[in-house]
């Protein structure tokens, strides 16, 4: 595998270089994003849309790499993630715009009054196994980087 310590040191430096760390960051971000999406899909359905809203709002996730050693998971739009996590406690009256009727399941009305809704716990579910999912993905990515440096 290695002929001497000098070649081992050079290869170890290749393993810890900038592009390799960037690949590890992206592997961690992809794993976190996938885990959060699967956890939310188990709670609200595989299409990730909220059917009770006027516009079919869809939950999404993403990630940003911050610096050389951090990945930030983004829940988009965060307000809808929070709504599906905690629910809605209060009711309010929704009036139509420009003198149009509000379309309800029972036909057009002058105004609508949506009631409270229970939370599904989507953010809690997304955070629950996140460490395990990212750790597994990082192990696979580190193994791939070691194989790339040592054998390629």
């Amino acid at each position: 595998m290695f002929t001497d310590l000098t070649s081992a040191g050079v290869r170890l430096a290749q393993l810890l270089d900038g592009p390799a760390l960037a690949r590890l960051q992206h592997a961690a971000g992809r794993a976190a994003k996938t885990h959060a999406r699967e956890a939310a899909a188990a709670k609200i359905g595989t299409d990730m849309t909220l059917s009770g809203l006027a516009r079919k709002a869809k939950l999404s996730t993403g990630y940003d790499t911050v610096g050389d050693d951090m990945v930030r998971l983004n829940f988009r739009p965060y307000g809808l993630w929070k709504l599906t996590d905690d629910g809605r406690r209060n009711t309010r009256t929704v009036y139509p715009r420009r003198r149009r009727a509000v379309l309800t399941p029972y036909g057009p009305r002058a105004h609508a009054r949506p009631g409270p809704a229970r939370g599904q716990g989507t953010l809690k579910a997304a955070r629950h196994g996140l460490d395990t999912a990212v750790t597994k993905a990082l192990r696979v990515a580190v193994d791939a980087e070691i194989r790339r440096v040592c054998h390629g």
Side-chain angles (χ1 to χ4, degrees), residues 11 29 50 52 56 58 60 62 64 69 79 88 110 115 120 122 125 142 148:
R11 298 220 177 172
L50 302 177
K56 296 281 184 183
K58 189 171 185 176
S60 176
D64 295 327
D69 60 348
R88 180 176 56 219
Q120 300 291 325
T122 53
V142 167
R148 184 185 67 81

Side-chain angles (χ1 to χ4, degrees), residues 24-138:
L24 293 177
Q25 275 184 310
H26 286 293
R30 280 191 304 269
K33 177 179 169 178
T34 303
H35 173 75
R37 186 176 295 155
E38 289 172 355
K43 293 288 186 177
I44 64 169
T46 55
D47 61 349
M48 302 277 290
T49 58
L50 302 177
S51 61
L53 301 177
R55 296 182 184 146
K56 296 281 184 183
K58 189 171 185 176
L59 297 180
S60 176
T61 56
Y63 67 93
D64 295 327
T65 55
V66 181
D68 290 336
D69 60 348
M70 193 167 125
V71 176
R72 180 183 302 133
L73 184 62
N74 299 323
F75 297 100
R76 299 181 191 128
Y78 186 74
L80 291 178
W81 277 88
K82 192 72 175 149
L83 178 68
T84 58
D85 190 48
D86 295 338
R88 180 176 56 219
R89 291 175 190 82
N90 299 335
T91 63
R92 62 184 178 89
T93 304
V94 178
Y95 292 100
R97 295 181 184 174
R98 298 187 198 127
R99 297 182 186 224
R100 281 192 251 159
V102 177
L103 299 178
T104 66
Y106 307 107
R109 300 285 187 255
H111 57 79
R113 182 171 288 174
R118 70 178 176 87
Q120 300 291 325
T122 53
L123 282 174
K124 293 177 190 87
R127 288 185 193 122
H128 179 62
L130 192 62
D131 293 337
T132 307
V134 171
T135 303
K136 285 180 183 178
L138 280 177

Side-chain angles (χ1 to χ4, degrees), residues 135-146:
T135 303
K136 285 180 183 178
L138 280 177
R139 279 189 195 140
V140 171
V142 167
D143 288 345
E145 286 298 320
I146 290 172

